[in-house]
């Protein structure tokens, strides 16, 4: 079997083990994606497992797309029938068919975090709470759902005032979402688990279907994902989890490292295979990474090794301040421009706030760059407005989307008119969209009432046409018929940028149409809702990449700079206890292992923080790197 050639002994063992529970401990750069895709091919080609009986889940659309493409190259298009998805996209597929059991429409829409905040601010204001505390409530609700707690369960479990307060808002928020047929990102997991727990016939169907399950990045799973996989794998127990506890860095997103540390307790008969050969980094970089992570107590035993060359020492420079640090980094990039393209280089940092001085220096030296995790294309007002129009065509009950666009562009619909609509809707148990159709009857006469009814008529007409239209054509029709595009002036620079963004969005929709055919509006909205920054990165662009170390996980670059290697910055000042410091060390380990050939570590003696210059000390992690691996450079 050709797909087994080129695999090392441990990789081959993982690929050919197809029965029972198995944990593959895959160190950084050890070829785990290759193992997963080749194992998927082996299941189909040699073990005769029907492709649609395989569930393979990972954390990014980019990773899922790569796995799907690699598997298809190995065994042909038959692999496309396998469920190769992110956790959230797999849950969307399940909920689209079965969510009606939970009282939601199958045409539910997915609310983004910006609209979540808007809805929560409205709830907080309406209940005389401080709307500026919206992020605190958002985090609390996410925590409740991750713990698989319903609003009533959260209320019952509350022991202190703040928990009770958060639970009360959770009750109102959940009811509002349910009433308009909308779910948030956390609901995709939460509701899938609820579906399986309370409707065993649905669970049985998927337990029988998925005879083999693979989970990538298992160290990053949270409680809801853990329970979901446990439920689905309970019948056949052919569960393969792949991960590296040394790269568990998402505790702040409620990832639970104990899921991977306790896998053998959950499955005492599990086979454990270690992928310890690194194919990415030099011996020097790898030795430094191994030494750093060895200082963590809570970890699975493994030691990475490589046949790669020894390579250059890691270069460390202590600069007078953060501006000097940025200047040093950019000058080094200029020096190496003859040997490396800009796309070979990444600048990593612990916090997004560190990017400003780096950007200023890159701009000054005319070095092209891109920021991953900055202001997202899909967060731009014109894109979110267009998406709100599209969501309304799928789910007219989506009041959040309706309130966003009913007066965008301006139609003379003010707060007073919206209040009348809301009062009439509540009194007659109607959605806001249904009320818009009878604005005159609701007491809104004259230009305002006419504008509202024209608005609802346009959307009704487009909703009827939508099932037969390509998404790109539908988007164009919305922008034209609503008057949205006409509201921007070509003579205004900012408006020109917005029009260019809208054109780019239409082009993206047309590309989607080419791949999926016409009449796939719901699929398009799901696709956009599940996109991440990494999914929209353009490969091969001649630009230096700037991103946080968190965002860099799963990526690799020939040259990596890690800026701000100082106490209070990296490790972060909030990491005061042992568990926090261990996660920071894992994060530093991830940063080190992104580098293939050259690694730079930089620190500043003074750094501007919250408008004040503060003195800094080099990071404790620097002391954990063997001296022979480190070359100290003088700041010039």
């Amino acid at each position: 079997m050709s797909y087994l050639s080129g695999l090392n002994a441990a990789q081959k063992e993982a690929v050919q083990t197809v029965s029972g529970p198995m944990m593959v401990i895959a160190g950084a750069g050890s070829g785990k994606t290759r193992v997963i895709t080749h194992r998927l091919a082996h299941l189909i080609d040699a073990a005769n497992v029907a492709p649609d009986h395989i569930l393979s889940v990972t954390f990014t659309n980019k990773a899922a797309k790569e796995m799907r493409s690699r598997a298809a190259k190995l065994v042909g298009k038959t692999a496309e029938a396998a469920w190769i998805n992110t956790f959230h996209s797999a849950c969307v597929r399940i909920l689209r068919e079965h969510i009606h059991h939970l009282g939601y429409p199958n045409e539910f829409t997915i609310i983004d975090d910006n609209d979540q905040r808007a809805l929560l601010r409205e709830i907080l204001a309406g209940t005389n709470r401080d709307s500026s505390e919206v992020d605190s409530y958002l985090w609390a609700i996410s925590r409740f759902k991750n713990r698989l707690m319903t609003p009533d369960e959260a209320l019952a479990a509350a022991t202190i005032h703040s928990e009770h307060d958060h639970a009360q808002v959770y009750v109102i928020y959940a009811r509002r979402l349910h009433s308009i047929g909308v779910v948030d990102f956390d609901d995709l997991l939460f509701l899938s688990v609820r579906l399986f727990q309370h409707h065993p016939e649905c669970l049985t169907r998927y337990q029988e279907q998925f005879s083999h399950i693979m989970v990538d990045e298992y160290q990053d799973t949270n409680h809801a994902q853990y329970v979901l996989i446990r439920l689905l794998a309970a019948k056949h127990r052919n569960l393969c989890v792949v991960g590296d506890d040394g790269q568990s860095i998402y505790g702040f997103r409620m990832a639970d490292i104990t899921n991977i540390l306790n896998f053998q307790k959950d499955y005492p008969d599990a086979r454990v295979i270690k992928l310890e050969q690194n194919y990415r980094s030099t011996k020097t970089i790898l030795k430094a990474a191994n030494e750093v992570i060895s200082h963590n107590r809570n970890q699975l035993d493994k030691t990475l090794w490589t046949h790669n060359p020894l390579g250059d020492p890691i270069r460390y420079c202590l600069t007078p301040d953060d501006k000097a640090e940025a200047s040093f980094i950019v000058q080094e990039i200029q020096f190496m421009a003859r040997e490396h393209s800009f796309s070979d280089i990444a600048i990593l940092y612990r916090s997004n706030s560190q990017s400003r001085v780096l950007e200023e220096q890159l701009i000054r030296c005319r070095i092209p760059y891109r920021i991953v995790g900055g202001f997202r294309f899909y967060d731009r007002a014109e894109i979110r407005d267009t998406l709100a129009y599209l969501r309304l065509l799928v789910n007219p009950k989506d009041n959040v989307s309706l309130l966003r666009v009913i007066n965008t562009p301006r139609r003379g619909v003010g707060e007073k008119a919206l209040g009348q609509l809301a009062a009439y809707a509540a009194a007659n148990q109607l959605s806001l969209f249904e009320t818009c159709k009878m604005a005159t009857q609701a007491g809104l006469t004259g230009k305002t009432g006419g504008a509202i009814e024209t608005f609802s008529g346009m959307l009704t007409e487009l909703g009827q046409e939508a099932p037969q239209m390509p998404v790109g054509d539908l988007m164009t029709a919305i922008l034209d018929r609503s008057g949205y595009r006409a509201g921007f002036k070509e003579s205004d620079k900012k408006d020109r940028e917005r029009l260019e963004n809208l054109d780019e969005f239409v082009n993206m929709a047309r590309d989607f149409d080419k791949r999926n055919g016409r009449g796939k509006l719901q699929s398009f909205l799901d696709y956009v809702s599940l996109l991440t920054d990494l999914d929209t990165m353009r490969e091969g662009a001649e630009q230096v990449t700037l991103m946080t170390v968190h965002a860099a996980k799963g990526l690799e670059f020939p040259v990596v700079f890690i800026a701000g290697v100082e106490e209070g910055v990296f490790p972060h000042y909030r990491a005061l206890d042992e568990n926090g410091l261990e996660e920071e060390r894992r994060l530093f380990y991830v940063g080190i292992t992104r580098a293939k050939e050259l690694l730079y570590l930089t620190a500043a003696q003074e750094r501007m923080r919250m408008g004040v210059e503060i003195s800094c000390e080099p990071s404790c992690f620097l002391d954990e790197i063997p001296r022979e691996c480190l070359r100290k450079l003088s700041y010039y």
Side-chain angles (χ1 to χ4, degrees):
M1 288 166 279
S2 60
Y3 53 79
L4 294 178
S5 63
L7 299 178
N8 64 39
Q11 290 174 334
K12 194 174 292 186
E13 182 184 0
V15 167
Q16 293 181 299
T17 302
V18 298
S19 299
M22 174 173 65
M23 176 167 64
V24 179
I25 304 172
S30 62
K32 73 176 178 64
T33 302
R34 191 179 192 197
V35 166
I36 292 170
T37 52
H38 284 238
R39 186 174 187 272
L40 196 151
H42 186 75
L43 286 170
I44 296 170
D45 189 57
N48 296 315
V49 178
D52 62 340
H53 286 195
I54 301 170
L55 171 65
S56 182
V57 288
T58 186
F59 277 80
T60 68
N61 293 294
K62 183 181 179 183
K65 183 179 178 181
E66 183 179 355
M67 288 178 189
R68 202 175 295 118
S69 173
R70 287 197 197 183
K73 287 178 182 177
L74 292 171
V75 293
K77 286 191 174 183
T78 182
E80 294 176 1
W83 281 48
I84 306 174
N85 297 92
T86 64
F87 271 99
H88 291 90
S89 61
C91 288
V92 168
R93 290 182 68 174
I94 292 166
L95 292 175
R96 282 279 167 232
E97 189 170 349
H98 303 287
I99 199 172
H100 60 274
H101 291 297
L102 301 175
Y104 289 81
N106 286 354
E107 299 77 23
F108 66 87
T109 47
I110 304 168
I111 196 173
D112 64 25
D113 55 357
N114 291 301
D115 287 335
Q116 271 184 281
R117 286 185 173 85
L119 179 57
L120 275 171
R121 283 192 193 96
E122 180 189 328
I123 291 170
L124 295 176
T127 55
N128 296 316
R129 289 176 168 88
D130 185 356
S131 57
S132 69
E133 294 293 319
V134 63
D135 284 340
S136 172
Y137 288 95
L138 195 63
W139 184 85
I141 291 170
S142 180
R143 184 184 58 183
F144 289 139
K145 291 183 180 181
N146 172 63
R147 293 178 177 177
L148 300 175
M149 298 175 72
T150 65
D152 289 341
E153 288 168 344
L155 268 177
T159 57
I160 58 177
H161 173 74
S162 61
E163 290 177 351
H164 194 264
D165 180 48
H166 288 148
Q168 285 181 316
V169 172
Y170 179 27
V171 170
I172 301 168
Y173 172 77
R175 286 175 182 166
R176 290 283 289 277
L177 289 189
H178 188 269
S179 69
I180 60 177
V182 168
V183 304
D184 63 29
F185 210 58
D186 290 318
D187 279 328
L188 298 176
L189 292 163
F190 173 71
L191 293 176
S192 294
V193 173
R194 296 284 296 174
L195 175 74
F196 290 151
Q197 288 176 333
H198 294 273
H199 297 275
E201 72 281 5
C202 294
L203 175 60
T204 298
R205 170 186 159 173
Y206 289 101
Q207 282 181 334
E208 291 177 350
Q209 178 176 343
F210 298 134
S211 63
H212 290 75
I213 298 174
M214 289 190 284
V215 184
D216 185 22
E217 306 284 11
Y218 191 66
Q219 77 281 349
D220 292 334
T221 52
N222 60 27
H223 179 65
Q225 290 160 335
Y226 168 81
V227 173
L228 180 71
I229 292 300
R230 288 273 289 178
L231 288 169
L232 288 172
K235 179 177 175 64
H236 296 286
R237 298 184 80 253
N238 295 323
L239 172 63
C240 169
V241 303
V242 183
D244 178 7
D245 58 298
Q247 297 185 70
S248 178
I249 59 174
Y250 294 118
F252 69 101
R253 292 183 188 168
M254 288 171 275
D256 187 353
I257 192 174
T258 62
N259 291 347
I260 192 168
L261 295 178
N262 293 337
F263 186 79
Q264 289 174 273
K265 292 181 181 178
D266 292 337
Y267 300 93
D269 57 332
R271 178 178 292 197
V272 178
I273 298 172
K274 299 178 184 179
L275 305 183
E276 297 175 298
Q277 183 176 358
N278 176 281
Y279 293 92
R280 176 188 299 155
S281 305
T282 64
K283 285 184 171 72
T284 297
I285 291 171
L286 208 56
K287 182 175 182 179
N290 282 335
E291 285 295 321
V292 167
I293 201 65
S294 70
H295 287 75
N296 273 5
R297 295 181 180 180
N298 300 313
Q299 61 177 315
L300 300 170
D301 180 47
K302 66 181 179 304
T303 303
L304 297 184
W305 59 275
T306 185
H307 286 312
N308 289 341
L310 181 65
D312 289 351
I314 296 167
R315 300 169 186 183
Y316 166 62
C317 185
L318 179 64
T319 63
D321 55 36
D322 49 354
K323 290 181 181 178
E325 178 188 44
S327 176
F328 169 79
I329 290 172
V330 172
Q331 286 184 59
E332 286 294 305
I333 290 172
Q334 288 176 315
F335 290 152
M336 67 178 68
R338 291 181 182 178
E339 297 180 11
H340 293 278
S341 68
F342 290 135
S343 60
D344 286 342
I345 303 167
I347 306 174
L348 310 183
Y349 34 78
R350 177 62 180 81
S351 303
N352 275 311
S353 60
Q354 293 171 246
S355 71
R356 183 185 61 80
V357 290
L358 292 163
E359 285 187 78
E360 288 176 357
Q361 194 62 231
L362 288 164
I363 291 168
R364 187 175 293 117
C365 295
R366 298 184 178 181
I367 294 176
Y369 69 92
R370 62 182 173 189
I371 292 187
V372 178
F375 192 63
R376 295 178 66 234
F377 178 76
Y378 295 96
D379 285 338
R380 300 178 189 276
E382 59 272 18
I383 304 303
R384 295 183 63 226
D385 291 341
T386 307
L387 284 170
Y389 273 109
L390 292 170
R391 289 188 186 114
L392 278 171
L393 300 185
V394 171
N395 178 15
K397 289 184 177 181
D398 184 349
N399 289 350
V400 175
S401 293
L402 185 139
L403 289 171
R404 181 173 183 90
V405 297
I406 192 171
N407 199 41
T408 306
R410 295 190 182 278
R411 299 183 176 91
V413 184
E415 292 297 323
K416 184 177 178 182
L418 288 173
Q420 282 183 252
L421 283 173
Y424 189 86
N428 294 276
Q429 296 184 319
L430 299 170
S431 70
L432 282 178
F433 185 76
E434 290 172 316
T435 308
C436 286
K437 294 179 180 179
M438 51 184 74
T440 305
Q441 191 175 327
L444 290 158
T445 56
K447 289 184 179 180
T448 301
I452 292 172
E453 290 186 352
T454 299
F455 164 76
S456 62
M458 173 201 64
L459 286 175
T460 299
E461 188 176 286
L462 283 167
Q464 293 168 348
E465 298 172 13
Q468 304 304 320
M469 290 180 74
V471 179
D473 291 352
L474 183 61
M475 195 182 290
T476 301
I478 286 172
L479 295 173
D480 291 340
R481 293 191 211 177
S482 67
Y484 189 85
R485 187 189 290 274
F488 298 119
K489 299 176 182 177
E490 287 282 358
S491 58
D492 184 276
K493 182 182 177 182
K494 288 186 177 180
D495 280 2
R496 279 201 309 275
E497 289 177 357
R498 294 184 181 107
L499 286 168
E500 288 171 1
N501 289 334
L502 289 172
D503 288 340
E504 178 65 23
F505 198 26
V506 171
N507 291 337
M508 181 204 151
R510 295 199 190 285
D511 287 340
F512 179 88
D513 291 329
K514 288 178 184 177
R515 296 192 305 271
N516 299 277
R518 64 176 60 210
K520 300 286 187 178
L521 176 57
Q522 182 68 76
S523 298
F524 176 77
L525 290 174
D526 289 346
Y527 169 73
V528 171
S529 295
L530 298 170
L531 280 175
T532 67
D533 290 330
L534 291 180
D535 298 320
T536 55
M537 275 179 63
R538 291 184 178 179
E539 298 292 341
E542 279 297 312
Q543 299 169 309
V544 174
T545 299
L546 276 69
M547 62 173 77
T548 64
V549 184
H550 281 104
K553 188 166 172 292
L555 303 179
E556 58 182 42
F557 299 88
V559 182
V560 170
F561 292 82
I562 304 179
V565 186
E566 304 142 24
E567 289 295 298
V569 178
F570 204 171
H572 198 272
Y573 67 89
R574 292 199 187 101
L576 299 176
D577 61 11
E578 182 180 342
N579 289 335
L581 188 61
E582 291 216 345
E583 177 149 330
E584 289 291 300
R585 186 176 284 111
R586 292 195 295 269
L587 186 60
F588 190 57
Y589 171 82
V590 166
I592 291 173
T593 54
R594 296 314 93 197
K596 297 170 71 175
E597 301 167 17
L598 280 177
L599 175 63
Y600 285 79
L601 305 175
T602 62
Q605 293 174 307
E606 288 188 349
R607 184 174 298 277
M608 183 74 74
R609 192 182 295 170
M610 299 181 70
V612 178
E613 287 281 359
I614 62 166
S615 296
C616 304
E617 293 291 331
S619 171
C620 60
F621 297 151
L622 290 167
D623 294 330
E624 298 170 0
I625 297 175
R627 289 185 180 181
E628 65 270 21
C629 294
L630 207 61
R631 177 194 295 166
K632 291 186 179 180
L633 303 180
S634 299
Y635 174 69
Y636 36 75

